[in-house]
Amino acid sequence: MDREKIIGTEEIKEYFLNLENQINVRVDLAREARKTGVDIAPDIETFPAAGIAEKTEVLTGPKGVAKVYNDLWDLYKNREKVMLDIFNLILDRKLGDIEDPEKRLDQAIRTAIVILTEAVVVSPLDGIPNIKISKNVDGSKYVDIYFAGPIRAAGGTGQTWPLILADLARKKLHLDVYKPSKKEIDRIVEELNIYQNEVVVRQLKMTEEEMRIIAENCPICVNSWPDSAVEVIINRDLERIKSNRLREAMCLVLIDGIFVRKEKILKIARKQALNWNWLEQMIKVKKTTENIIEIKPNFKYLEGIAAGRPVYAYPSKPGGF
């Protein structure tokens, strides 16, 4: 830790430097203990890191990303801009120099999400177990992202940004959009219905029309390994969906990530010059004769409310959420 970069009084600087020295002593002791071979792992699993830049390099890499992050932070003082620059540098092989497009895509998205979530949650690692480039029926290639339950811990940021980043990467790598068959769309709708009605009973529920809008239009394949004992009944044994069991993480991202945060995604997508205008079909707006867009109150979240639960606010009322 550089004494001059610590902002504070001499006492504060001394405190942090002393803290760092004590940490280093204990890290060295732990490493020496691991070298004895008593433990199954030959080295420690947790490494000290001074900030987001160092944590990113330790958690996901690529090598050298910490210095690039710090240089870009001095330039922008904006984490989103830093994240996007690093994302593009990895895709352009200027950082990491990863030749394989699939591995490069995986690295770029993971590194970007770790930066965006400030490297404080495990979601970008355990929440996205696999990022692939798969083939459509017509032979074209698309981005196929597998999610897992821990992505919930990253909230809307961790669930929506991987899709935006994947769409940006798709264009850079000259990939096509995901083209689901009618049976695959029906399968997604069936899984979403089971998930929101039987597995996790939700207050704010998607209609079948909204499910189909997402399933038909999302340019990125939102996927997950089967992580439930519940099985679908109708749309079974599909070639690109290897199990008949419910993909709960996929449902979670489609509902909490896309449906609930559709306005936020649309705003981010437009800022990045991406065409996600199909989301407008699910946003409750009406145009007046003066061409003013008016947001209509959405009472959906009150329909399934449990008896005895307090209602803190009605939609679009002053003082509400």
Side-chain angles (χ1 to χ4, degrees):
M1 191 181 295
D2 188 344
R3 188 186 193 94
E4 297 307 313
K5 288 188 176 180
I6 303 173
I7 300 172
T9 63
E10 285 302 313
E11 289 80 6
I12 293 293
K13 290 180 180 181
E14 196 60 41
Y15 169 77
F16 278 107
L17 289 169
N18 183 47
L19 196 63
E20 183 184 38
N21 288 334
Q22 290 190 46
I23 289 169
N24 289 336
V25 167
R26 282 152 180 78
V27 166
D28 290 341
L29 282 170
R31 280 186 159 148
E32 286 300 317
R34 283 291 177 92
K35 286 178 184 177
T36 61
V38 174
D39 196 277
I40 193 169
D43 198 3
I44 60 173
E45 289 88 10
T46 305
F47 303 92
I52 296 174
E54 291 76 14
K55 284 198 281 185
T56 301
E57 184 154 339
V58 168
L59 287 171
T60 58
K63 192 174 180 181
V65 72
K67 184 183 184 309
V68 175
Y69 179 97
N70 288 327
D71 290 344
L72 289 171
W73 179 260
D74 290 340
L75 178 66
Y76 295 131
K77 293 288 190 284
N78 181 296
R79 197 167 67 254
E80 187 177 304
K81 285 184 177 180
V82 171
M83 177 268 290
L84 286 167
D85 267 21
I86 288 174
F87 173 76
N88 285 313
L89 285 170
I90 295 170
L91 285 178
D92 293 338
R93 295 182 64 180
K94 294 177 181 176
L95 178 59
D97 192 22
I98 303 167
E99 185 177 352
D100 182 81
E102 189 172 78
K103 290 179 181 177
R104 207 183 325 149
L105 172 71
D106 184 289
Q107 180 71 75
I109 291 176
R110 286 187 197 282
T111 302
I113 298 302
V114 166
I115 291 170
L116 206 61
T117 55
E118 299 182 312
V120 295
V121 292
V122 76
S123 308
L125 305 174
D126 293 348
I128 309 174
N130 202 5
I131 300 172
K132 296 170 60 180
I133 295 177
S134 300
K135 279 189 177 182
N136 284 306
V137 177
D138 62 6
S140 60
K141 295 179 179 180
Y142 63 92
V143 181
D144 193 359
I145 302 184
Y146 284 73
F147 291 90
I151 199 67
R152 184 188 293 277
T157 299
Q159 292 170 21
T160 57
W161 265 103
L163 303 176
I164 295 294
L165 292 169
D167 203 20
L168 287 168
R170 178 183 71 77
K171 293 192 169 187
K172 264 187 172 289
L173 298 174
H174 307 292
L175 303 174
D176 209 335
V177 297
Y178 171 51
K179 300 172 184 175
S181 66
K182 184 183 180 304
K183 287 289 287 181
E184 286 169 340
I185 293 168
D186 290 343
R187 166 65 183 263
I188 292 168
V189 171
E190 184 178 359
E191 287 184 83
L192 288 170
N193 269 316
I194 294 171
Y195 181 78
Q196 72 173 14
N197 292 307
E198 297 177 26
V199 178
V200 180
V201 180
R202 306 179 60 84
Q203 245 176 268
L204 185 61
K205 293 185 178 181
M206 296 174 70
T207 64
E208 186 167 318
E209 181 188 359
E210 288 164 335
M211 294 173 190
R212 289 190 181 277
I213 289 170
I214 293 174
E216 290 171 2
N217 293 283
C218 187
I220 307 303
C221 179
V222 179
N223 215 334
S224 72
W225 307 117
D227 49 6
S228 171
V230 180
E231 291 195 2
V232 294
I233 299 168
I234 303 167
N235 300 285
R236 300 169 64 86
D237 304 323
L238 304 187
E239 187 178 344
R240 284 198 288 186
I241 303 173
K242 303 301 181 185
S243 173
N244 292 320
R245 286 160 54 205
L246 195 67
R247 297 171 292 168
E248 289 189 21
M250 178 270 291
C251 295
L252 171 69
V253 173
L254 291 184
I255 296 174
D256 284 357
I258 298 181
F259 174 66
V260 174
R261 294 173 175 86
K262 47 191 174 285
E263 291 94 345
K264 180 181 178 181
I265 297 177
L266 187 57
K267 184 178 177 181
I268 295 171
R270 284 175 174 168
K271 189 177 175 182
Q272 300 303 323
L274 296 173
N275 183 9
W276 285 60
N277 293 339
W278 50 272
L279 288 169
E280 290 179 339
Q281 299 173 63
M282 298 185 292
I283 298 172
K284 306 295 182 186
V285 298
K286 67 176 181 181
K287 290 187 179 178
T288 63
T289 53
E290 293 82 19
N291 290 323
I292 298 170
I293 294 178
E294 180 186 346
I295 305 294
K296 294 170 68 177
N298 188 345
F299 290 86
K300 235 180 183 181
Y301 72 95
L302 295 173
E303 292 173 3
I305 193 168
R309 290 283 176 88
V311 176
Y312 289 104
Y314 286 95
S316 303
K317 291 293 182 183
F321 303 118

